[in-house]
């Protein structure tokens, strides 16, 4: 593995896990900021690891089988496609891409190369997500008509970077860091960071989004006028099977710490809901079961079947499962459950939600990236005549 992008996420989670989970060996690292590379090399403490000066050097390194793409930038989708095109498997941080064009490029590169692309989206591995999926599959929730989710993570301290130290800083620290530059996180539409909400709900539903419309508060932030990012964005979506989804994301509006995620699923025969606060409990109600109100259920992020290696790995133990799934897919011991198409189905609705906002909240159709009657695997439809309107 080459680890590309050596910020806190890489040094705090990815590098320790890649050194802990059997099957991985870190052979190279790269980051545009030298100070971050210095810290990563010190953490790895292995003289055999190559310190690459450029992204092109990583792509050209024959010792690199796969790339841990732990970056957050406008170009991260294009970088993933470039890596696949260069013959490297890719395990990428959320979100997968920031344009529909890059989504298509990733899909085509994965199809043409036969290599593994996986998005390191952890929340789909949480214990309660599998429990809810089983409830839906068993029919106890009936036909699911509504899914709701929100990711409200008050995180203004990630909106600027000090290029001398590589540290992320917030607007309150700008006076002490006159050379600070705005990070991509500040310019990124918050709704782009939808996979942590959308991915687990699509896993519960076994479905994909076909239409999206969205709205946003104004820019700059009302809470932090120094920031260009709006305080809140919300998307309304419809799936192929007719379920309505309501998803919202915020990074700069104050919110209780640690209580970042919330989900609920409502069907014609039942309802499940994640806890509203860290002191609350998840709840369930099933019609026809003599239940007069929502009952508390001891669902958790952590899985009851968690192996020893998962415990404490991060994000409710879920960071471990993303690494194991990627390893097994690359080695061919287990097919990827969260493949390139499922990953892009979490990215494209978010990208188009931001586009909907830019166009005055107009509804937009979400493309289907999977091969089918109208597109063979590896076929680029951008070079073929469009279908007549309405077909």
């Amino acid at each position: 593995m080459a680890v590309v992008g050596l910020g806190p996420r890489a040094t705090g989670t990815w590098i320790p896990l890649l050194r802990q989970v059997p099957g991985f060996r870190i052979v190279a690292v790269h980051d545009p900021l030298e100070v971050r590379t210095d810290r990563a090399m010190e953490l790895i403490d292995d003289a055999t690891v190559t310190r690459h000066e450029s992204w092109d050097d990583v792509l050209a390194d024959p010792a690199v089988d796969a790339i841990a793409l732990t970056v957050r930038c406008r170009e991260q989708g294009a970088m993933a496609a470039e890596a696949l095109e260069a013959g490297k498997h890719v395990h990428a941080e959320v979100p997968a891409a920031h344009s529909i064009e890059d989504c298509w490029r990733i899909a085509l590169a994965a199809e043409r190369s036969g290599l593994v692309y996986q998005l390191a989206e952890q929340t789909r591995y949480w214990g309660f997500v599998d429990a809810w999926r089983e409830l839906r599959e068993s029919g106890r929730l009936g036909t699911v008509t509504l899914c709701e989710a929100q990711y409200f993570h008050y995180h203004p301290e990630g909106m600027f970077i000090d290029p001398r130290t590589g540290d992320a800083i917030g607007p309150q620290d700008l006076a002490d860091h006159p050379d600070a530059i705005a990070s991509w996180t500040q310019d990124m539409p918050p709704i782009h960071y939808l996979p942590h909400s959308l991915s687990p709900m699509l896993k519960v539903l076994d479905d994909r989004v076909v239409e999206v419309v969205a709205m946003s508060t104004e820019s700059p932030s009302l809470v932090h006028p120094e920031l260009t990012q709006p305080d809140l964005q919300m998307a309304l979506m419809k799936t192929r099977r007719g379920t309505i989804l309501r998803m919202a994301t915020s990074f700069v509006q104050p919110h209780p710490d640690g209580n970042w995620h919330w989900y609920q699923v409502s069907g014609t025969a039942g309802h499940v809901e994640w806890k509203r606060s860290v002191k609350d409990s998840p709840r369930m109600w099933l019609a026809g079961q003599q239940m007069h109100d929502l009952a508390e259920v001891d669902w958790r992020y952590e899985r009851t079947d968690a192996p020893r290696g998962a415990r404490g790995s991060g994000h409710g133990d879920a960071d471990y499962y993303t690494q194991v799934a990627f390893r097994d897919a690359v080695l061919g011991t287990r097919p990827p459950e969260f493949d390139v198409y499922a990953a892009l189905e979490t990215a494209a609705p978010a990208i188009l939600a931001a586009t909907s906002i830019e166009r005055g909240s107009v509804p937009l159709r979400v493309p289907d990236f999977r091969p089918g009657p109208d597109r063979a695997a590896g076929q680029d439809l951008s070079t073929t005549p469009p279908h007549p309107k309405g077909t």
Side-chain angles (χ1 to χ4, degrees):
M1 295 288 287
V3 183
V4 175
L6 302 172
R9 181 83 178 115
T11 56
T13 301
W14 280 76
I15 290 174
L17 273 174
L18 290 173
R19 299 178 72 193
Q20 170 191 334
V21 177
F24 291 104
R25 182 165 62 93
I26 299 173
V27 298
V29 296
H30 167 66
D31 191 284
L33 293 179
E34 184 176 354
V35 64
R36 285 186 167 178
T37 308
D38 291 340
R39 290 175 185 169
M41 291 294 287
E42 183 178 353
L43 174 63
I44 297 170
D45 192 23
D46 184 346
T48 68
V49 174
T50 301
R51 176 182 181 143
H52 283 302
E53 298 300 321
S54 73
W55 169 238
D56 288 339
D57 289 342
V58 177
L59 297 180
D61 188 344
V64 174
D65 299 316
I67 294 176
L69 195 60
T70 57
V71 301
R72 184 155 299 137
C73 61
R74 191 186 304 271
E75 301 80 17
Q76 65 194 86
M79 292 177 71
E82 288 171 356
L84 292 165
E85 292 160 358
K88 316 296 185 185
H89 302 282
V90 175
H91 196 190
E93 266 288 1
V94 171
H98 298 284
S99 72
I100 296 298
E101 292 76 15
D102 283 347
C103 288
W104 275 115
R105 186 175 173 186
I106 291 170
L108 292 170
E111 290 172 351
R112 292 168 178 173
S113 67
L115 297 171
V116 173
Y117 173 91
Q118 181 175 294
L119 190 65
E121 199 297 295
Q122 313 93 338
T123 63
R124 67 184 295 108
Y125 296 97
W126 281 338
F128 81 88
V129 173
D130 275 2
W132 288 12
R133 178 174 174 131
E134 290 172 7
L135 283 169
R136 198 271 308 166
E137 289 178 335
S138 70
R140 282 178 284 176
L141 297 180
T143 299
V144 175
T145 54
L146 174 67
C147 279
E148 296 186 274
Q150 65 188 39
Y151 182 50
F152 289 177
H153 187 176
Y154 182 52
H155 193 61
E157 63 269 22
M159 298 297 170
F160 295 92
I161 296 175
D162 188 324
R164 295 172 301 169
T165 65
D167 294 333
I169 61 174
Q172 71 278 4
D173 300 317
L174 287 175
D176 298 327
H177 300 266
D179 299 328
I181 57 176
S183 69
W184 164 243
T185 304
Q186 182 178 163
D187 291 333
M188 178 183 72
I191 202 68
H192 275 204
Y193 210 75
L194 200 59
H196 290 321
S197 297
L198 187 55
S199 172
M201 293 299 95
L202 291 182
K203 182 178 181 180
V204 169
L205 296 174
D206 189 23
D207 207 347
R208 70 175 184 89
V209 175
V210 298
E211 187 176 4
V212 59
V213 63
M215 299 185 75
S216 176
T217 58
E218 299 300 321
S219 174
S221 163
L222 296 173
V223 181
H224 296 285
E226 310 92 335
L227 304 178
T228 56
Q229 190 174 93
D231 294 291
L232 173 71
Q233 291 184 325
M234 181 177 291
L236 192 65
M237 294 170 276
K238 191 172 186 178
T239 72
R240 180 174 55 87
R241 293 175 179 166
T243 303
I244 301 299
L245 286 77
R246 194 266 324 165
M247 306 272 165
T249 309
S250 171
F251 291 106
V252 296
Q253 181 170 289
H255 193 76
D257 188 44
N259 180 30
W260 303 323
H261 300 273
W262 178 78
Y263 308 87
Q264 76 166 0
V265 177
S266 293
T268 56
H271 174 93
V272 289
E273 182 174 342
W274 189 240
K275 56 186 179 180
R276 288 280 187 175
S277 72
V278 293
K279 296 181 180 179
D280 196 8
S281 297
R283 290 175 167 81
M284 175 179 68
W285 177 82
L286 299 177
Q289 300 298 311
Q290 296 300 322
M291 299 178 69
H292 294 270
D293 200 355
L294 290 163
E296 292 186 358
V297 183
D298 187 23
W299 286 314
R300 302 184 188 183
Y301 295 140
E302 295 83 5
R303 304 178 62 90
T304 56
D305 56 354
R308 184 184 301 275
R311 297 169 191 167
S313 63
H315 287 90
D317 293 350
D319 281 323
Y320 168 86
Y321 298 106
T322 68
Q323 301 296 343
V324 169
F326 178 73
R327 177 200 66 192
D328 291 350
V330 169
L331 297 180
T333 59
R334 187 187 313 171
E337 174 265 328
F338 189 47
D339 63 13
V340 62
Y341 305 113
L344 297 177
E345 286 164 359
T346 71
I351 294 166
L352 290 172
T355 303
S356 170
I357 292 168
E358 293 173 359
R359 297 182 183 177
S361 298
V362 297
L364 296 172
R365 299 288 295 179
V366 180
D368 184 0
F369 297 96
R370 298 174 185 268
D374 296 326
R375 186 183 77 85
Q379 181 185 9
D380 184 356
L381 290 184
S382 65
T383 61
T384 62
H387 289 290
K389 184 177 180 180
T391 65

